[in-house]
Amino acid sequence: MITLKNVTLRRSAKVLLNSVNATINPGEHVGLVGRNGAGKSSLFALFNGSLHEDGGDFHIPAQWRMAQVAQNMPETDEPATDFVVAGDTRLMEVQAQLAQAEADDDGMAIAHAYTDLYDAGAHDAVPRAQALILGLGFKVSELDKPVNSFSGGWRMRLQLARALMCPSDLLLLDEPTNHLDLDALVWLEAWLKRYQGTMIVISHDREFLDAVTNVTLHIDNAQLTRYGGNYSKFEELRAEQLELQQASFAKQQEKIAHLKKFIDRFKAKASKAKQAQSRVKALDRMEKIAPVLADAEFTFEFKEPTNLPNPMLAITDASFGYRSDDGVETTILRNVSRSVLAGQRIGILGANGQGKSTLVKTIARAMKPLAGTVTEGKGLSIGYFAQQELDVLRPSDNPLEHMIRLAKELGPNARESGREQDLRNFLGTFNFSGDMVKQTVGSMSGGEKARLVLAMIVWQRPNLLLLDEPTNHLDLATREALSMALNEFEGTVMLVSHDRALLRAVCDEFWLVGRGAIGPFDGDLDDYQRYLLDEARRLREQARTDAAAETMALAAAALSPAPPEPPLSAPESIAESAYLQGAGGLKKSEKLAEATPPVRDFREQRKLDAQARQQQAQRLRPLKNELEQIDRRLAELSKERAGLEERLTQPLPSSEIADCGRRLKVANDATAELEERWLELSALIEQA
């Protein structure tokens, strides 16, 4: 177990933890919570060994294997699958041992290395890695793309997959959901629930913490307190604790006042001097109960809009997408006709890459529609929170310069005053006080940047809020403040977020973006989570249908001595299957047919698919026969390998050990080749 006994932890002169005690038992899933700056990341650094305690005793079992998400941005041309497989440190170590043994022609070492490889899971390493990659939102076609070809957020997802790939007894996760969409978040929750080791996670996502943790460690006022239960249970227990503490404090204050009154009254009287002195000693010996100090909660509000056009905007037969620099258009959403009314609170749902951000950017005027019209109501004023805060912030400018520039752009009537002192006072309400108003944005934390964007939006007095993942860097207190402010906002809200607590609290209706269309989603967030699983299955089937023609050609060519590789390898199919299992085993939504935008020409496509399958069945019969032959040969090799491995456990002459090692290597190589061919044939048959 992990133990902290009277541990003191400092950063420079600041005491983050002062003589704290805590125990984390094997297999516990722990949520580490506290305000920004309380010391959560420093405690993580203590756990991973990059920081040492300044006092007390910290113990973590030396034999525990640790995994955590690397914070550096990976820079490599290595394929995504290989990059994630390399996260299995045990497998990489054994592969290095095997390479050395083969170079030394050491039969015994080779035999041991192959046994260790099997124990390390080399036979299914690629499918396991690809299951993680697909689960975190990547497409099958991206499994072998170079890591450098992905954007920063997607590369950090690969770092997360690499950490999950590493066999571990202790898993440290610091804000693992920041770069995830809701579909990937649902999958990650299911994976972490099944994790057998000890896990410590920092997160500001309430529902995520509730789903994956069963213990909560709270850092407050340099103290570390353990609570049994998830985050919601922690809130209940802490509220009860604070209430009890406040009652005890009030009772003690009454007793202290009574003692002081007695002392003041009788200390000058000789007859009562001893009694008064005893009261003084009792007062000195009394262990003082600390008062409950109310934290300065961060709150803000959206000002009442100057007008509310109705409808806010109307979208008619529009197509949304983007144009490349050479003018080539890529359409993501087609034939969109929707209206946005005053006072609506719309949550925008959709699997990753379906066009949620494209829709929001087009409404926000950051992109133009490729076709159709977007008609704005008279007096429409948009407040836009971009998914990447730096899309609207200048790293070299400070918060005050941002506000001054905004005041000049909007004119003197945008708010009560655009004077510098008024702008300073306004920034102060968003916790930008003193010298912080002159701090460059590039040096700020993600949470500070998000608060600055919120301040700029509030100052504009919008009547339509477009929020694209506004909570990525906000702590729980700021998320709660945002939720309250949005509920009191009198205008219209359109929200894209993976924070389910925020979606549940703010949104009255949902739009589903998917399959190139936008439609109302008839259901709640639980229905949507079930939809995500069904959508993943649909995408898999669509990929197989699209590959049908090529599969027929491959099936015919498979009879030749050198068959080409299939477009979808068996590990990819296995990975997709693991992905569906990893999505939590959710039941299929009964409302899916109503909630999902229709697929056009579905009946005609089914007819074509049936004809294709009938033609393929004739051509795949030889493949099935070959598959049966391989099964028989694999069974023979399995018996041979078992016999050799059993012999190697017995005392033998060195020459015979070396001979067994070589024969075992030949049998393993033959098994690997046959398994690869078996996977190729299985993939062809499965696709057909």
Side-chain angles (χ1 to χ4, degrees):
M1 64 179 66
I2 300 174
T3 57
L4 293 87
K5 295 182 179 179
N6 298 318
V7 168
T8 296
L9 197 62
R10 294 186 178 92
R11 274 291 172 93
S12 298
K14 183 179 180 181
V15 178
L16 298 175
L17 295 175
N18 186 16
S19 299
V20 302
N21 297 278
T23 300
I24 300 175
N25 299 308
E28 289 185 330
H29 289 187
V30 181
L32 184 58
V33 301
R35 289 187 168 276
N36 285 345
K40 299 188 297 296
S41 296
S42 297
L43 185 55
F44 250 44
L46 178 66
F47 290 143
N48 65 29
S50 58
L51 194 66
H52 296 283
E53 64 274 21
D54 296 288
D57 296 315
F58 168 71
H59 171 74
I60 187 170
Q63 71 275 17
W64 275 17
R65 299 167 297 175
M66 185 184 304
Q68 62 179 337
V69 181
Q71 297 302 310
N72 63 299
M73 191 68 66
E75 296 289 347
T76 176
D77 290 326
E78 193 177 11
T81 298
D82 293 346
F83 177 77
V84 174
V85 169
D88 191 333
T89 52
R90 172 61 180 158
L91 179 60
M92 295 298 103
E93 178 184 339
V94 175
Q95 286 181 345
Q97 293 173 357
L98 176 61
Q100 185 61 47
E102 290 178 339
D104 297 340
D105 196 23
D106 186 339
M108 175 65 81
I110 291 173
H112 284 311
Y114 271 104
T115 302
D116 291 343
L117 273 178
Y118 182 83
D119 292 339
H123 57 289
D124 65 347
V126 170
R128 284 189 288 117
Q130 292 182 338
L132 294 171
I133 297 171
L134 292 172
L136 291 174
F138 291 82
K139 300 176 182 177
V140 174
S141 59
E142 295 174 329
L143 291 172
D144 294 319
K145 289 182 62 176
V147 173
N148 281 343
S149 67
F150 296 103
S151 65
W154 287 97
R155 277 189 265 177
M156 291 309 296
R157 292 196 192 199
L158 289 176
Q159 288 283 40
L160 175 57
R162 191 179 170 106
L164 300 181
M165 185 70 182
C166 180
S168 62
D169 302 294
L170 175 61
L171 179 61
L172 301 177
L173 297 175
D174 190 351
E175 293 292 353
T177 65
N178 271 0
H179 301 283
L180 302 183
D181 293 322
L182 189 51
D183 51 341
L185 177 56
V186 170
W187 178 89
L188 179 63
E189 280 184 3
W191 194 96
L192 293 178
K193 287 177 183 177
R194 299 193 306 274
Y195 178 67
Q196 298 294 316
T198 303
M199 180 180 71
I200 306 175
V201 57
I202 297 174
S203 178
H204 293 131
D205 188 322
R206 176 190 300 268
E207 292 204 18
F208 177 75
L209 286 173
D210 280 349
V212 304
T213 64
N214 51 30
V215 173
T216 301
L217 288 179
H218 180 228
I219 301 179
D220 184 49
N221 293 323
Q223 293 300 307
L224 184 64
T225 308
R226 175 187 167 105
Y227 295 85
N230 58 21
Y231 186 81
S232 294
K233 186 64 176 178
F234 149 73
E235 283 192 318
E236 295 177 11
L237 294 174
R238 178 163 167 77
E240 293 173 0
Q241 183 186 65
L242 292 177
E243 185 178 355
L244 180 62
Q245 180 181 341
Q246 185 61 30
S248 299
F249 173 76
K251 187 175 181 179
Q252 187 182 66
Q253 290 302 304
E254 291 179 4
K255 185 174 182 180
I256 291 173
H258 178 74
L259 290 173
K260 285 183 176 180
K261 185 176 180 181
F262 184 92
I263 294 168
D264 293 340
R265 182 177 179 184
F266 296 110
K267 64 182 178 181
K269 290 187 177 183
S271 60
K272 295 287 187 179
K274 287 186 177 181
Q275 293 171 317
Q277 190 63 31
S278 68
R279 300 299 196 278
V280 171
K281 292 180 180 179
L283 193 59
D284 291 338
R285 289 195 303 266
M286 186 180 296
E287 184 177 349
K288 303 298 189 295
I289 298 174
V292 176
L293 301 177
D295 293 327
E297 296 288 347
F298 171 64
T299 60
F300 70 97
E301 63 178 359
F302 292 95
K303 299 297 182 181
E304 181 182 355
T306 54
N307 66 326
L308 286 174
N310 197 17
M312 288 279 182
L313 58 90
I315 306 171
T316 307
D317 294 329
S319 294
F320 297 153
Y322 57 90
R323 293 183 178 88
S324 61
D325 294 337
D326 55 4
V328 178
E329 295 184 352
T330 301
T331 303
I332 300 176
L333 300 170
R334 292 181 172 84
N335 303 316
V336 179
S337 295
R338 306 290 300 172
S339 294
V340 180
L341 306 178
Q344 279 187 299
R345 281 164 162 70
I346 303 169
I348 301 175
L349 307 176
N352 175 64
Q354 294 298 307
K356 301 187 300 294
S357 293
T358 300
L359 170 65
V360 172
K361 287 180 180 179
T362 305
I363 295 176
R365 311 174 187 128
M367 300 171 62
K368 294 183 178 179
L370 301 181
T373 59
V374 178
T375 305
E376 298 181 354
K378 185 177 181 180
L380 179 68
S381 175
I382 295 176
Y384 174 42
F385 190 107
Q387 186 171 357
Q388 301 296 330
E389 294 92 347
L390 287 181
D391 288 351
V392 294
L393 297 179
R394 298 183 182 182
S396 59
D397 290 354
N398 59 50
L400 184 58
E401 289 171 337
H402 277 83
M403 293 303 302
I404 291 174
R405 183 173 61 254
L406 183 63
K408 290 179 179 178
E409 291 174 355
L410 298 181
N413 297 323
R415 268 185 71 87
E416 293 83 352
S417 173
R419 294 181 304 172
E420 180 173 324
Q421 186 57 48
D422 293 329
L423 296 176
R424 283 177 176 268
N425 295 340
F426 175 74
L427 286 170
T429 63
F430 284 82
N431 289 349
F432 292 104
S433 56
D435 295 336
M436 282 196 69
V437 299
K438 290 299 185 73
Q439 181 182 345
T440 58
V441 168
S443 65
M444 289 181 173
S445 68
E448 290 167 340
K449 293 174 187 175
R451 277 193 281 112
L452 178 56
V453 174
L454 286 173
M456 294 171 66
I457 291 174
V458 170
W459 196 86
Q460 297 175 62
R461 297 185 76 163
N463 47 37
L464 172 60
L465 289 175
L466 299 174
L467 307 178
D468 192 356
E469 297 291 358
T471 63
N472 272 355
H473 301 286
L474 300 181
D475 59 22
L476 282 162
T478 309
R479 292 185 184 205
E480 186 68 23
L482 175 61
S483 176
M484 293 175 62
L486 290 175
N487 277 325
E488 296 174 1
F489 178 57
E490 296 184 8
T492 298
V493 178
M494 300 183 72
L495 173 63
V496 178
S497 179
H498 65 260
D499 188 328
R500 287 157 294 179
L502 183 66
L503 287 169
R504 293 184 201 274
V506 172
C507 299
D508 299 325
E509 59 183 293
F510 296 104
W511 287 3
L512 179 62
V513 180
R515 307 191 194 183
I518 301 175
F521 185 80
D522 183 17
D524 56 18
L525 287 179
D526 295 328
D527 292 319
Y528 176 64
Q529 290 183 183
R530 289 188 282 270
Y531 160 76
L532 289 174
L533 178 62
D534 292 325
E535 182 70 1
R537 183 180 293 110
R538 184 194 68 81
L539 291 174
R540 182 188 65 170
E541 296 299 333
Q542 179 179 333
R544 291 176 178 173
T545 300
D546 293 342
E550 188 173 359
T551 301
M552 287 190 292
L554 288 170
L559 299 176
S560 63
E565 294 186 2
L568 180 63
S569 67
E572 291 172 338
S573 300
I574 296 171
E576 286 184 312
S577 176
Y579 164 66
L580 292 173
Q581 295 173 5
L586 298 171
K587 296 180 180 179
K588 188 173 182 180
S589 172
E590 296 178 356
K591 300 181 179 180
L592 181 62
E594 299 176 4
T596 307
V599 178
R600 300 187 175 188
D601 300 324
F602 179 67
R603 294 180 179 176
E604 181 181 352
Q605 184 63 47
R606 287 185 60 185
K607 183 177 180 181
L608 293 174
D609 291 346
Q611 294 174 352
R613 286 194 296 269
Q614 187 176 6
Q615 295 172 1
Q616 291 163 17
Q618 298 294 328
R619 301 184 182 185
L620 292 182
R621 189 172 293 111
L623 298 181
K624 294 182 179 179
N625 294 335
E626 184 181 352
L627 198 65
E628 293 175 359
Q629 295 175 2
I630 291 176
D631 281 332
R632 288 193 293 270
R633 179 56 181 153
L634 283 174
E636 295 171 359
L637 285 171
S638 178
K639 292 180 181 179
E640 181 181 353
R641 290 161 56 205
L644 290 170
E645 289 172 354
E646 184 178 356
R647 289 193 64 193
L648 286 170
T649 62
Q650 303 171 1
L652 297 172
S654 57
S655 58
E656 194 169 342
I657 290 175
D659 180 63
C660 286
R662 293 190 188 94
R663 289 171 60 191
L664 182 61
K665 182 179 185 303
V666 171
N668 282 328
D669 289 343
T671 299
E673 292 178 4
L674 287 172
E675 286 178 343
E676 183 177 355
R677 180 57 179 159
W678 187 94
L679 291 172
E680 292 175 357
L681 295 171
S682 298
L684 288 170
I685 295 171
E686 182 183 1
Q687 292 166 18

